[in-house]
């Protein structure tokens, strides 16, 4: 690989990797918070147990 090309691509790759790490970290903490539970936990039954027809 050409040294100039390597010197050009390395900072770009580091910036992209750092940005992806930040985005993945934020998603890792915010998704369970938005769901109000861990994604792997079993779903609790809904509060509404009566069946309703929309007509």
């Amino acid at each position: 690989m050409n040294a100039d090309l390597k010197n050009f691509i390395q900072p770009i790759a580091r910036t992209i990797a750092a940005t992806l790490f930040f985005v993945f970290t934020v998603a890792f903490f915010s998704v369970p918070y938005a769901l109000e539970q861990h994604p792997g936990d079993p779903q609790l039954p809904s509060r509404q147990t009566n069946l309703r027809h929309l007509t």
Side-chain angles (χ1 to χ4, degrees):
M1 181 183 278
N2 189 355
D4 291 334
L5 180 62
K6 184 178 179 181
N7 291 337
F8 176 73
I9 291 180
Q10 266 187 336
I12 294 172
R14 287 181 184 155
T15 303
I16 291 171
T19 303
L20 287 176
F21 178 76
F22 177 74
V23 169
F24 290 158
T25 303
V26 169
F28 180 78
F29 288 110
S30 65
V31 167
Y33 179 75
L35 295 175
E36 297 179 354
Q37 66 181 11
H38 189 273
D41 289 344
Q43 296 286 330
L44 298 175
S46 65
R47 294 179 187 166
Q48 179 184 2
T49 56
N50 298 343
L51 295 176
R52 289 178 27 193
H53 198 274
L54 298 176
T55 57

